Amino acid sequence: FFIFDRWGNVLYAADHFQPNDPMYAWDGKMKGRVLNPGVFVYRLLLRFKDGRIELRNGDITIVR
């Protein structure tokens, strides 16, 4: 799971975690600093128990 800013910089990365695990939730910060409102892009590689793999992309909007 990766979250990028509009310039392609990685803001958050996590791997090998279970869905809905709060330990891996992104808090809208980068290096401890709260990010300004904006649109960010995510890329998620999912591996299912049956062995299927899916790549999903989308965007996240921070509104404060």
Side-chain angles (χ1 to χ4, degrees):
F1 180 54
F2 293 94
I3 298 177
F4 304 93
D5 64 13
R6 65 183 184 185
W7 296 282
N9 299 310
V10 176
L11 303 178
Y12 179 80
D15 61 357
H16 297 96
F17 62 93
Q18 296 296 315
N20 298 320
D21 185 340
M23 293 287 297
Y24 293 93
W26 182 52
D27 59 4
K29 296 179 183 178
M30 184 179 89
K31 297 181 182 176
R33 293 187 349 241
V34 175
L35 294 171
N36 289 328
V39 178
F40 303 89
V41 176
Y42 70 84
R43 174 167 260 181
L44 177 63
L45 182 67
L46 300 164
R47 181 174 296 129
F48 295 93
K49 286 183 179 185
D50 65 3
R52 285 183 305 123
I53 295 176
E54 287 185 24
L55 179 62
R56 296 191 184 173
N57 302 295
D59 58 77
I60 300 168
T61 302
I62 292 179
V63 180
R64 301 207 189 270

